[in-house]
Amino acid sequence: MALPAAFFALFFAYPVVAITLRGLHDGGRWQFARAAEVLTDPAVLQVLRFTLWQAAASTALTLVVALPGAYVFARFDFPGKQVLRAVVTVPFVLPTVVVGSAFLALAGRGGTLDQLWGVRLDTGVWAILLAHVFFNYAVVVRTVGGLWAQLDPRQEEAARVLGATRFGAWRRVTLPALTPAVAAAALMVFLFTFTSFGVIQVLGGPRYATLEVEIYRQTAALLDLPAAAVLTLLQFAAVAALLAVHAWTVRRRESALALVDARHTARRPRGTGQWALLWSHLVLVAVLLVAPLVVLALRSLRTSDGYGFAFYRALTEHGSDSTFLVAPVEAIGNSLAYAAVATGVALVVGGLAAAALTRSAGRLVRGFDALLMLPLGTSAVTVGFGFLIALDEPPLDLRASWIIVPLAQALVGVPFVVRTLLPVLRAVDVRLREAAAVLGASPWRAWREVDLPLVRRALLVAAGFAFAVSLGEFGATVFIARGDNPTLPVAVARFLGRAGELSYGQAMAMSTVLMVLCAATLLALERVRTSDDRSGEF
């Protein structure tokens, strides 16, 4: 546990504490009066109200849309299910700035809906809510559907034999079993939307701002560090409370149920009602999840002279008026290299953390488990700016070093590695390790001969998730990526910040490249997974 704890202390806690103290402790005095001013500012209270409201609305809407999908994936067996499972997960690993771009191309000014029917959603809050559903749909489907697939359907059938109606049997047997998973998924969706940044930046405009966007504005635009520090602490407290509740629901889900092999619970749809449910779900996925991605790709090809690859060719050019110090296409290589290094770091840190959590118990270990999840909810803007403030002196002067970007990206990859490996490691029979030790194997050889063959597949899945989320990391990278080494999400955001058809087309082209890379990674993951895979979800 020592290495993961040291990693988080040095590259997460230290930068966050440093930037917070820089804001609250100025000129040798604590700025508590300034903190009170910020917390009672009507504009800040309005931001807090909107943050809570849009997170609650996005969570409710996501559950309404995604829970039928969880049932379809859990109980139905149909051709192309594995590919569809990868497709619906693509939005989750896309950078939020790309998600915003996709909805801008579909429902924004001059978008497809605007041109066809004069419909624009970017003038209100609906574009934000739908983008959040698009982004978080997979969280509910994988978290709830994964458990639903392992519930024994014979328990519900037994209730019906005893006289219960179909709905009554589902309400009394299945719903109580699913409730912890639904609560855990809802909390994760609330957490991701509560800290939303890229989607709000692209679709929110000046009228809508979350706490994360306000932290960015106070930090980067107004240079008001005390206000940013107060807002960071406020968001941190909210996230810590959410994660504590989430950890409680996860423990209930892990300990209270007797599960069966998911291979024996799914079957072909039977009857008109089940086929109608399956097809209606497929249409919903096509309209809500696939259409924005298709429109995004088409907009990357459409110029004023017709369809072509002009915007992609422009990515290879570097003029004197360019947004970057290098040709934009170099962002692709940078992102792949950074994500590869970040994945390696996340696997080492997350793997050791998962192993420690498997072999230890108690409140301290549960607290460490919750600590590992904090980077998912902490302001990425704070982490990125904290890197610049805290890691600026020898022997840790990393401001000009390329490694600073992978280190920041690894922070969001570690939670996915831990959550993926933990169920597999806990399923390994400890008697196998003990037998290897009795036969004279060293701890290293026992791990290599016993644990590694059993967790190899989960390691590949964890590496894939860490690679995908590292590719899409934006909030921290936008602060620390140098102008001569931009990443794909940073390039997209900078192109969107410039006026003109060429910049917008290049943003769409960059977003499409990033979308293809993420989709390829997820399809590879689905090929690695098997139907009896016990790898964890989100």
Coordinates of all heavy atoms in Angstrom, one line a residue, residues 44-107:
V44 N -22.4 33.3 -6.9 CA -21.9 31.9 -6.6 C -23.1 31.0 -6.2 O -23.1 29.8 -6.5 CB -20.9 32.1 -5.5 CG1 -20.5 30.7 -4.9 CG2 -19.6 32.8 -6.0
L45 N -24.0 31.6 -5.4 CA -25.1 30.7 -5.0 C -26.0 30.3 -6.2 O -26.5 29.2 -6.2 CB -26.0 31.5 -4.0 CG -25.4 31.9 -2.6 CD1 -26.3 32.7 -1.8 CD2 -25.0 30.6 -1.9
Q46 N -26.1 31.2 -7.2 CA -26.8 30.8 -8.4 C -26.0 29.7 -9.1 O -26.7 28.7 -9.6 CB -26.9 32.0 -9.3 CG -27.5 31.7 -10.7 CD -28.9 31.1 -10.6 OE1 -29.7 31.4 -9.7 NE2 -29.2 30.3 -11.6
V47 N -24.7 29.8 -9.2 CA -23.9 28.7 -9.8 C -24.1 27.4 -9.0 O -24.3 26.3 -9.6 CB -22.4 29.1 -9.8 CG1 -21.6 27.8 -10.2 CG2 -22.2 30.2 -10.8
L48 N -24.1 27.4 -7.7 CA -24.3 26.2 -6.9 C -25.7 25.6 -7.1 O -25.9 24.4 -7.3 CB -24.2 26.6 -5.4 CG -24.3 25.4 -4.4 CD1 -23.3 24.3 -4.7 CD2 -24.1 25.9 -3.0
R49 N -26.7 26.5 -7.2 CA -28.1 26.0 -7.4 C -28.2 25.3 -8.8 O -28.8 24.2 -8.9 CB -29.1 27.2 -7.3 CG -29.5 27.5 -6.0 CD -30.8 28.4 -6.0 NE -30.5 29.7 -6.5 CZ -30.1 30.8 -5.8 NH1 -29.9 30.7 -4.5 NH2 -29.8 31.9 -6.4
F50 N -27.6 26.0 -9.8 CA -27.7 25.4 -11.1 C -26.9 24.0 -11.2 O -27.3 23.1 -11.8 CB -27.1 26.3 -12.2 CG -27.0 25.7 -13.6 CD1 -28.2 25.5 -14.3 CD2 -25.8 25.3 -14.1 CE1 -28.2 24.9 -15.5 CE2 -25.8 24.7 -15.3 CZ -27.0 24.5 -16.1
T51 N -25.7 24.0 -10.5 CA -24.9 22.8 -10.5 C -25.7 21.6 -9.9 O -25.8 20.5 -10.4 CB -23.7 23.0 -9.6 OG1 -22.9 24.1 -10.2 CG2 -22.8 21.7 -9.6
L52 N -26.4 21.9 -8.7 CA -27.2 20.8 -8.1 C -28.4 20.4 -9.0 O -28.7 19.3 -9.2 CB -27.7 21.3 -6.7 CG -26.6 21.4 -5.7 CD1 -27.1 22.2 -4.4 CD2 -26.1 20.0 -5.3
W53 N -29.1 21.5 -9.5 CA -30.3 21.2 -10.3 C -29.9 20.4 -11.6 O -30.6 19.4 -11.9 CB -30.9 22.5 -10.7 CG -32.1 22.3 -11.6 CD1 -33.4 22.0 -11.1 CD2 -32.2 22.2 -13.0 NE1 -34.3 21.9 -12.2 CE2 -33.5 22.0 -13.4 CE3 -31.3 22.4 -14.0 CZ2 -33.9 21.8 -14.7 CZ3 -31.7 22.3 -15.3 CH2 -33.0 22.0 -15.7
Q54 N -28.9 20.8 -12.3 CA -28.6 20.1 -13.6 C -28.1 18.7 -13.3 O -28.4 17.8 -14.1 CB -27.7 20.9 -14.5 CG -26.3 21.1 -13.9 CD -25.3 20.0 -14.1 OE1 -25.5 19.2 -15.0 NE2 -24.3 19.9 -13.2
A55 N -27.4 18.5 -12.2 CA -26.9 17.2 -11.8 C -28.1 16.2 -11.5 O -28.1 15.1 -11.9 CB -25.9 17.2 -10.7
A56 N -29.0 16.8 -10.7 CA -30.2 16.0 -10.3 C -31.1 15.6 -11.5 O -31.5 14.5 -11.7 CB -31.0 16.7 -9.3
A57 N -31.3 16.6 -12.4 CA -32.1 16.4 -13.6 C -31.4 15.5 -14.6 O -32.0 14.6 -15.1 CB -32.4 17.8 -14.3
S58 N -30.1 15.6 -14.7 CA -29.4 14.7 -15.6 C -29.4 13.3 -15.1 O -29.5 12.3 -15.9 CB -27.9 15.2 -15.8 OG -27.8 16.5 -16.3
T59 N -29.3 13.1 -13.8 CA -29.3 11.8 -13.2 C -30.6 11.1 -13.4 O -30.7 9.9 -13.8 CB -28.9 11.9 -11.7 OG1 -27.7 12.5 -11.5 CG2 -28.9 10.5 -11.1
A60 N -31.7 11.9 -13.1 CA -33.0 11.3 -13.3 C -33.3 10.9 -14.7 O -33.8 9.8 -15.0 CB -34.1 12.3 -12.8
L61 N -32.9 11.8 -15.6 CA -33.2 11.5 -17.0 C -32.3 10.3 -17.5 O -32.8 9.5 -18.3 CB -32.8 12.8 -17.9 CG -33.3 12.9 -19.3 CD1 -34.8 12.8 -19.3 CD2 -32.9 14.2 -19.9
T62 N -31.1 10.2 -17.0 CA -30.3 9.1 -17.4 C -30.8 7.8 -16.9 O -30.9 6.8 -17.7 CB -28.8 9.3 -16.9 OG1 -28.3 10.5 -17.3 CG2 -27.9 8.2 -17.3
L63 N -31.3 7.8 -15.7 CA -31.9 6.5 -15.2 C -33.2 6.1 -16.0 O -33.4 4.9 -16.3 CB -32.3 6.7 -13.7 CG -31.2 6.8 -12.7 CD1 -31.7 7.1 -11.3 CD2 -30.3 5.5 -12.7
V64 N -34.0 7.1 -16.3 CA -35.2 6.8 -17.1 C -34.8 6.2 -18.4 O -35.5 5.2 -18.9 CB -36.1 8.1 -17.3 CG1 -37.2 7.9 -18.3 CG2 -36.6 8.5 -15.9
V65 N -33.8 6.7 -19.1 CA -33.5 6.3 -20.4 C -32.7 5.0 -20.4 O -32.9 4.1 -21.2 CB -32.6 7.4 -21.1 CG1 -32.1 6.9 -22.4 CG2 -33.5 8.6 -21.4
A66 N -31.8 4.8 -19.4 CA -30.8 3.7 -19.4 C -31.3 2.4 -18.7 O -30.8 1.3 -19.0 CB -29.5 4.2 -18.8
L67 N -32.2 2.5 -17.7 CA -32.6 1.3 -17.0 C -33.2 0.3 -17.9 O -32.9 -0.9 -17.8 CB -33.5 1.7 -15.8 CG -32.8 2.2 -14.6 CD1 -33.8 2.6 -13.5 CD2 -31.8 1.2 -14.0
P68 N -34.1 0.7 -18.9 CA -34.6 -0.4 -19.8 C -33.4 -1.0 -20.6 O -33.5 -2.2 -20.9 CB -35.5 0.4 -20.7 CG -36.0 1.6 -19.9 CD -34.8 1.9 -19.0
G69 N -32.4 -0.2 -20.9 CA -31.3 -0.7 -21.6 C -30.5 -1.7 -20.8 O -30.0 -2.7 -21.3
A70 N -30.4 -1.4 -19.5 CA -29.8 -2.4 -18.6 C -30.5 -3.7 -18.6 O -29.9 -4.8 -18.6 CB -29.7 -1.8 -17.2
Y71 N -31.8 -3.7 -18.7 CA -32.6 -4.9 -18.7 C -32.3 -5.7 -20.0 O -32.2 -6.9 -20.1 CB -34.1 -4.6 -18.6 CG -35.0 -5.8 -18.7 CD1 -35.1 -6.7 -17.7 CD2 -35.6 -6.1 -19.9 CE1 -36.0 -7.9 -17.8 CE2 -36.5 -7.2 -20.1 CZ -36.6 -8.1 -19.0 OH -37.4 -9.2 -19.2
V72 N -32.3 -4.9 -21.1 CA -32.1 -5.6 -22.5 C -30.8 -6.3 -22.5 O -30.7 -7.4 -22.9 CB -32.2 -4.5 -23.5 CG1 -31.7 -5.0 -24.9 CG2 -33.7 -4.0 -23.7
F73 N -29.7 -5.6 -22.0 CA -28.4 -6.2 -22.1 C -28.3 -7.4 -21.1 O -27.6 -8.3 -21.3 CB -27.3 -5.2 -21.8 CG -26.9 -4.3 -22.9 CD1 -27.4 -3.1 -23.1 CD2 -26.1 -4.9 -23.9 CE1 -27.1 -2.3 -24.2 CE2 -25.7 -4.1 -25.0 CZ -26.2 -2.8 -25.2
A74 N -29.1 -7.3 -20.0 CA -28.9 -8.4 -19.0 C -29.7 -9.6 -19.3 O -29.2 -10.7 -19.1 CB -29.4 -7.8 -17.6
R75 N -30.9 -9.5 -19.9 CA -31.8 -10.6 -20.1 C -32.0 -11.1 -21.5 O -32.5 -12.2 -21.7 CB -33.2 -10.2 -19.5 CG -33.2 -10.1 -18.0 CD -32.8 -11.3 -17.3 NE -33.1 -11.3 -15.8 CZ -32.2 -11.8 -15.0 NH1 -31.1 -12.3 -15.3 NH2 -32.6 -11.8 -13.7
F76 N -31.6 -10.3 -22.5 CA -31.8 -10.7 -23.9 C -30.5 -11.1 -24.5 O -29.4 -10.5 -24.3 CB -32.4 -9.5 -24.7 CG -33.8 -9.2 -24.3 CD1 -34.4 -8.0 -24.7 CD2 -34.6 -10.1 -23.5 CE1 -35.7 -7.7 -24.4 CE2 -35.9 -9.8 -23.2 CZ -36.5 -8.6 -23.6
D77 N -30.6 -12.1 -25.3 CA -29.4 -12.6 -26.2 C -29.8 -12.3 -27.6 O -30.7 -12.9 -28.1 CB -29.1 -14.1 -25.9 CG -27.9 -14.5 -26.6 OD1 -27.1 -13.7 -27.0 OD2 -27.8 -15.7 -26.9
F78 N -29.0 -11.5 -28.3 CA -29.3 -11.1 -29.7 C -28.0 -10.9 -30.5 O -27.0 -10.6 -29.9 CB -30.2 -9.9 -29.7 CG -29.6 -8.7 -29.0 CD1 -28.8 -7.8 -29.6 CD2 -29.9 -8.5 -27.6 CE1 -28.3 -6.7 -28.9 CE2 -29.4 -7.4 -26.9 CZ -28.6 -6.5 -27.6
P79 N -28.1 -11.1 -31.8 CA -26.9 -10.9 -32.6 C -26.3 -9.5 -32.5 O -27.1 -8.5 -32.5 CB -27.4 -11.2 -34.0 CG -28.6 -12.0 -33.9 CD -29.2 -11.5 -32.6
G80 N -25.0 -9.4 -32.4 CA -24.3 -8.0 -32.3 C -24.4 -7.4 -30.9 O -24.0 -6.3 -30.8
K81 N -24.8 -8.2 -29.9 CA -24.9 -7.7 -28.6 C -23.5 -7.2 -28.1 O -23.4 -6.1 -27.4 CB -25.4 -8.7 -27.6 CG -25.5 -8.3 -26.2 CD -26.1 -9.5 -25.4 CE -26.2 -9.2 -23.9 NZ -26.8 -10.3 -23.1
Q82 N -22.4 -7.9 -28.4 CA -21.1 -7.5 -27.9 C -20.6 -6.2 -28.5 O -20.1 -5.3 -27.8 CB -20.1 -8.6 -28.2 CG -18.8 -8.5 -27.5 CD -17.9 -9.7 -27.7 OE1 -17.9 -10.3 -28.8 NE2 -17.1 -10.1 -26.8
V83 N -20.9 -6.1 -29.8 CA -20.5 -4.8 -30.5 C -21.3 -3.7 -30.0 O -20.8 -2.6 -29.7 CB -20.7 -5.0 -32.0 CG1 -20.4 -3.7 -32.8 CG2 -19.8 -6.1 -32.6
L84 N -22.6 -3.9 -29.8 CA -23.5 -2.8 -29.3 C -23.1 -2.4 -27.9 O -23.1 -1.2 -27.6 CB -24.9 -3.3 -29.3 CG -26.0 -2.2 -29.0 CD1 -26.0 -1.1 -30.0 CD2 -27.4 -2.8 -28.8
R85 N -22.6 -3.3 -27.1 CA -22.2 -3.0 -25.8 C -20.9 -2.1 -25.8 O -20.8 -1.2 -25.0 CB -21.8 -4.3 -25.0 CG -21.4 -4.2 -23.6 CD -21.0 -5.5 -23.1 NE -20.2 -5.5 -21.8 CZ -20.8 -5.5 -20.6 NH1 -22.1 -5.6 -20.5 NH2 -20.0 -5.5 -19.6
A86 N -20.1 -2.3 -26.8 CA -18.9 -1.5 -27.0 C -19.3 -0.1 -27.5 O -18.8 0.9 -27.0 CB -17.9 -2.1 -27.9
V87 N -20.3 -0.1 -28.4 CA -20.8 1.2 -29.0 C -21.4 2.1 -28.0 O -21.1 3.3 -27.9 CB -21.8 0.9 -30.1 CG1 -22.5 2.2 -30.6 CG2 -21.1 0.3 -31.3
V88 N -22.2 1.6 -27.1 CA -22.8 2.4 -26.1 C -21.8 2.9 -25.0 O -22.1 3.8 -24.3 CB -24.0 1.7 -25.4 CG1 -25.1 1.3 -26.4 CG2 -23.5 0.5 -24.5
T89 N -20.7 2.3 -25.0 CA -19.7 2.7 -24.0 C -18.7 3.8 -24.5 O -18.1 4.5 -23.8 CB -18.8 1.5 -23.5 OG1 -19.7 0.4 -23.1 CG2 -18.0 1.8 -22.3
V90 N -18.7 3.9 -25.9 CA -17.8 4.9 -26.5 C -18.1 6.3 -25.9 O -17.1 7.0 -25.6 CB -18.0 4.9 -28.0 CG1 -17.3 6.1 -28.7 CG2 -17.4 3.6 -28.6
P91 N -19.3 6.8 -25.8 CA -19.5 8.1 -25.3 C -18.9 8.4 -23.9 O -18.4 9.5 -23.7 CB -21.0 8.3 -25.2 CG -21.5 7.3 -26.3 CD -20.6 6.2 -26.2
F92 N -18.9 7.3 -23.1 CA -18.4 7.5 -21.7 C -16.9 7.8 -21.7 O -16.4 8.6 -20.8 CB -18.7 6.3 -20.9 CG -18.1 6.4 -19.5 CD1 -18.8 7.3 -18.5 CD2 -17.0 5.7 -19.0 CE1 -18.3 7.4 -17.3 CE2 -16.5 5.9 -17.7 CZ -17.2 6.7 -16.9
V93 N -16.1 7.2 -22.6 CA -14.7 7.4 -22.6 C -14.3 8.6 -23.5 O -13.1 9.0 -23.6 CB -13.9 6.2 -23.0 CG1 -14.1 5.1 -22.0 CG2 -14.3 5.7 -24.4
L94 N -15.2 9.2 -24.2 CA -14.9 10.3 -25.0 C -14.6 11.5 -24.1 O -15.3 11.7 -23.1 CB -16.0 10.7 -26.0 CG -16.2 9.8 -27.2 CD1 -17.4 10.3 -28.0 CD2 -15.0 9.8 -28.1
P95 N -13.7 12.4 -24.5 CA -13.6 13.6 -23.7 C -14.9 14.4 -23.7 O -15.6 14.5 -24.7 CB -12.5 14.4 -24.5 CG -11.8 13.4 -25.4 CD -12.9 12.4 -25.7
T96 N -15.2 15.1 -22.6 CA -16.4 15.8 -22.5 C -16.5 16.9 -23.6 O -17.5 17.3 -24.0 CB -16.6 16.4 -21.1 OG1 -15.4 17.1 -20.8 CG2 -16.9 15.3 -20.1
V97 N -15.3 17.5 -23.9 CA -15.3 18.5 -24.9 C -15.7 18.0 -26.3 O -16.3 18.7 -27.1 CB -13.9 19.2 -25.0 CG1 -12.9 18.2 -25.5 CG2 -14.0 20.5 -25.8
V98 N -15.4 16.7 -26.6 CA -15.8 16.1 -27.8 C -17.3 15.8 -27.8 O -18.1 16.0 -28.8 CB -15.1 14.8 -28.1 CG1 -15.6 14.1 -29.3 CG2 -13.6 15.1 -28.3
V99 N -17.8 15.4 -26.6 CA -19.3 15.2 -26.4 C -20.0 16.5 -26.7 O -21.0 16.5 -27.4 CB -19.6 14.7 -25.0 CG1 -21.1 14.6 -24.8 CG2 -19.0 13.3 -24.8
G100 N -19.5 17.6 -26.2 CA -20.1 18.9 -26.4 C -20.1 19.2 -27.9 O -21.0 19.7 -28.5
S101 N -18.9 18.9 -28.6 CA -18.8 19.2 -30.0 C -19.8 18.4 -30.8 O -20.4 18.9 -31.8 CB -17.4 18.8 -30.5 OG -16.4 19.5 -29.7
A102 N -20.0 17.1 -30.4 CA -21.0 16.3 -31.1 C -22.4 16.8 -31.1 O -23.1 16.9 -32.1 CB -20.9 14.8 -30.6
F103 N -22.8 17.3 -29.9 CA -24.1 17.8 -29.7 C -24.2 19.2 -30.4 O -25.3 19.6 -30.9 CB -24.5 17.9 -28.3 CG -25.2 16.6 -27.8 CD1 -24.4 15.5 -27.5 CD2 -26.5 16.5 -27.7 CE1 -25.0 14.3 -27.1 CE2 -27.1 15.3 -27.3 CZ -26.3 14.2 -27.0
L104 N -23.1 19.9 -30.4 CA -23.1 21.2 -31.1 C -23.3 21.0 -32.6 O -24.1 21.7 -33.3 CB -21.8 21.9 -30.9 CG -21.8 23.4 -31.0 CD1 -22.7 24.1 -30.0 CD2 -20.4 24.0 -30.8
A105 N -22.7 19.9 -33.2 CA -22.8 19.6 -34.6 C -24.3 19.1 -34.9 O -24.8 19.3 -36.0 CB -21.8 18.6 -35.0
L106 N -24.9 18.5 -33.9 CA -26.2 17.9 -34.1 C -27.3 18.9 -33.9 O -28.2 19.1 -34.7 CB -26.5 16.7 -33.2 CG -27.8 16.1 -33.3 CD1 -28.1 15.4 -34.6 CD2 -28.0 15.0 -32.2
A107 N -27.2 19.7 -32.8 CA -28.3 20.5 -32.3 C -28.0 21.9 -32.1 O -28.8 22.7 -31.6 CB -29.0 19.9 -31.1

